[in-house]
Amino acid sequence: MGTIITRKQGNNTYYLYQETYREKINKKDFGKIRGSGKSKVRTRSTYLGSAKTILRCIKGNRSPVKVNTRNFGMVAAAYQAACFIDLPQILTKHIKGERFETDLWTYFFVTIINRLESATSKEKMSVWLKKTILPELLNIKIQNFTGKKFWYVTDDVISEKELEQRRKNIINTDDPFECIDDTIFTAIETELFDRIDQLMGLSPSVICYDTTNFFTYIEEPKRSKIANSCHSKDSKNHLNHVGLLMAVEKSFGIPLISRVYRANCHDSKLFSHILADLIVALKKLCGAETDLILVLDKGNNSKDNFSYMKGKINWIGALVPSHYKDLIDMELDQYHGVWKDKRYYRCKKTVMGIKCVVILTFTAVRKRKQKHSLRRGIEKLKNEINKKWGSYKKQPKSITPGIDTMLKKSRYGECIKISVVKGNPYFKENLEEIKKREQRFGKSLVFSNMLEAETGYLIDTYNEKNIIENDFHLLKDVTLIRFRPIRHWTDSKIRAFAFCCVVSMILIRVMQWMTEQGGYKMSTTVLKDELTDIQEIIMVYSPTDAERKITERSAVQEKLWKIFELEKIEKQLSLHK
């Protein structure tokens, strides 16, 4: 029987297989008994190589009986980003207690990661978890994550029963938040904002505020008070909607405040309800002496709102062009300034009882886009009317009430006139109305109470409100967070779901920043695709023998691997082997 011995050459160690045997001196002799002839001991060595070479050869000759894959890259990177901003610690601090032998905060944390990686329903959460590395990272039991258990956990944090009791005791039909107590979620968002500010250097002194709505599949009779029919931004007016407001900083779009509200509440009334809380939160975060600026859209304009803000916070907003015809009808040669791709005219006016600086801007590119949109909208309306006309079983002799309704509801209805000629609708464009609209194209009105601020600063700061539109786009992205359609049917669960979606959006923003700091600027779609391609493969050779491998990585994926320090996660998982 042979043995394995070591040989050293410099700092390297090599292995050899060595065995001894006897060989007859006279090759004509044979046999092993006494008198069969003399023999001598010889040694035979076989070079095996280094330890790595031996291990590779051993494993290369094995065939696994089963191969499993699990989602690694996106889940691990999101987990690392969450730890970077102390999200688990902040959730643990504010969401205490446990249910089903699992900490309550863990249910929310799993949901936040899920919205980024797969965005499944709560009922399918356990199926998704089996395909990820998250159970091992968090040391959780997969069977605890069912839709019913999520329901109980959410009720421990924000109780539907307590909400109904408050509604009985507080008669305030004008409350757009319908008595929802989201103190815990607001506290988490505020602390998270402060932590991210320390790490990334946000711009909390300039806050962009806006609202949007999300359609639901809640049908009558409904238990939700905040889900209502309204003007749908998704053109789904037949469905109930839930409103979401956010106030985000201008650099990265990180929310300071987010709240759900009754969808049919007018923006200006909603703004008056949130304004006091928003100013308090900003003063607390930035200091009472800091000059704060609020950027808002024209839908929030009201005399009461601006009177309340006077002396407390500065603002940059927009005005409705039709309310200032003297400015909008001004010819371009009267504009006296240029800023980047815009021409502008600046003046001072009293707006809603407050002296403000008003800036009229004109952008040629925007005018071309608006003209194209007008033409496309008119043609689309014509096609819809023709389709409606063709759906009638009996050919009408005049324009029907149904088509009149279509004209009234459409923003392009005033641009065309319809008559019936030879049994078919005949369209004639209202050139006067079209010319009147084209006169306003490319123009916008920005105003502010900061009378001495530079024109370029006011224009640029107002345009930075696009960051909140990008946030809403992320929330509605079906490939990422997928806020809509909301499938929860009680207000406490809708609020908890909205919180998880907003924090998921914060997390992907942080991941984008981390990637950019590492030298790669990526969209959320590309970032997710690259990370999702990094998979964990488990090769099972026997019930007691298995091997983990990470799929081969491209150059970009290798960079992301280092940025998010995914090697730490790989080593952590190997401890569970």
Side-chain angles (χ1 to χ4, degrees), residues 536-551:
E536 178 197 61
I537 299 175
I538 303 174
M539 293 172 285
V540 181
Y541 299 99
S542 71
T544 59
D545 187 12
E547 181 185 7
R548 295 179 191 269
K549 288 284 185 181
I550 303 297
T551 53

Side-chain angles (χ1 to χ4, degrees), residues 403-518:
I403 291 178
D404 277 335
T405 302
M406 289 176 66
L407 290 171
K408 290 176 182 177
K409 286 186 175 181
S410 173
R411 65 170 65 181
Y412 306 104
E414 295 181 354
C415 296
I416 58 175
K417 297 177 181 179
I418 309 177
S419 58
V420 179
V421 178
K422 297 181 180 180
N424 292 311
Y426 174 77
F427 300 98
K428 184 177 180 181
E429 294 186 355
N430 186 348
L431 298 179
E432 184 179 347
E433 175 65 24
I434 292 174
K435 185 177 180 181
K436 186 168 67 174
R437 294 191 181 196
E438 289 180 347
Q439 180 69 20
R440 301 196 298 263
F441 284 172
K443 299 177 181 179
S444 60
L445 287 170
V446 175
F447 80 115
S448 173
N449 67 322
M450 297 182 288
L451 301 178
E452 305 305 320
E454 293 183 359
T455 302
Y457 173 78
L458 294 176
I459 294 173
D460 286 349
T461 304
Y462 178 76
N463 289 335
E464 282 169 347
K465 75 179 182 63
N466 290 333
I467 189 70
I468 195 169
E469 295 295 339
N470 294 337
D471 281 352
F472 288 144
H473 177 75
L474 271 181
L475 290 170
K476 295 180 179 183
D477 190 343
V478 295
T479 64
L480 200 62
I481 299 170
R482 204 170 68 186
F483 196 117
R484 60 184 181 183
I486 301 172
R487 299 183 185 274
H488 301 276
W489 61 91
T490 61
D491 291 337
S492 60
K493 308 306 173 290
I494 291 172
R495 180 63 187 100
F497 172 74
F499 164 76
C500 292
C501 288
V502 169
V503 177
S504 290
M505 187 265 294
I506 293 173
L507 204 52
I508 194 66
R509 288 294 193 201
V510 172
M511 291 171 70
Q512 275 188 297
W513 178 82
M514 293 173 71
T515 305
E516 191 171 342
Q517 293 299 110

Side-chain angles (χ1 to χ4, degrees), residues 388-398 400 423:
K388 178 76 172 177
W389 190 270
S391 68
Y392 292 125
K393 293 182 179 179
K394 186 177 179 181
Q395 194 177 72
K397 295 182 179 179
S398 60
T400 64

Side-chain angles (χ1 to χ4, degrees), residues 26 67 81 90-91 106 133 162 308 387 430 457 531:
N26 186 350
V67 177
I90 293 172
L91 290 175
T106 310
I133 61 172
E162 291 178 4
Y308 183 85
K387 186 177 179 181
N430 186 348
Y457 173 78
L531 288 170

Side-chain angles (χ1 to χ4, degrees), residues 268-269 271-272 298-307 309 352:
S268 61
K269 291 183 178 179
F271 184 58
S272 65
K298 53 182 171 287
N300 302 295
N301 293 355
S302 78
K303 187 173 182 179
D304 290 340
N305 289 340
F306 289 111
S307 295
M309 286 192 289
M352 287 172 278

Side-chain angles (χ1 to χ4, degrees), residues 134-174:
L134 209 52
E136 287 184 43
L137 282 179
L138 299 175
N139 193 24
I140 56 178
K141 297 177 181 178
I142 294 175
Q143 61 269 26
N144 284 341
F145 290 81
T146 64
K148 188 174 183 179
K149 290 180 178 179
F150 268 106
W151 182 276
Y152 287 130
V153 167
T154 305
D155 211 55
D156 288 340
V157 177
I158 176 169
S159 171
E160 185 69 21
K161 186 176 181 180
E162 291 178 4
L163 174 59
E164 290 177 359
Q165 189 61 45
R166 280 196 301 274
R167 286 172 174 170
K168 288 179 182 178
N169 297 335
I170 302 174
I171 303 175
N172 182 8
T173 56
D174 194 38

Side-chain angles (χ1 to χ4, degrees), residues 190-191 193-195 197 202-205 207 249 256 279-288 290 292:
T190 303
E191 189 167 341
F193 186 97
D194 187 46
R195 173 59 179 160
D197 183 26
L202 305 180
S203 302
S205 60
I207 294 293
E249 58 82 41
L256 172 65
I279 292 176
V280 169
L282 286 170
K283 293 287 186 183
K284 183 178 179 181
L285 183 71
C286 304
T290 306
L292 303 173

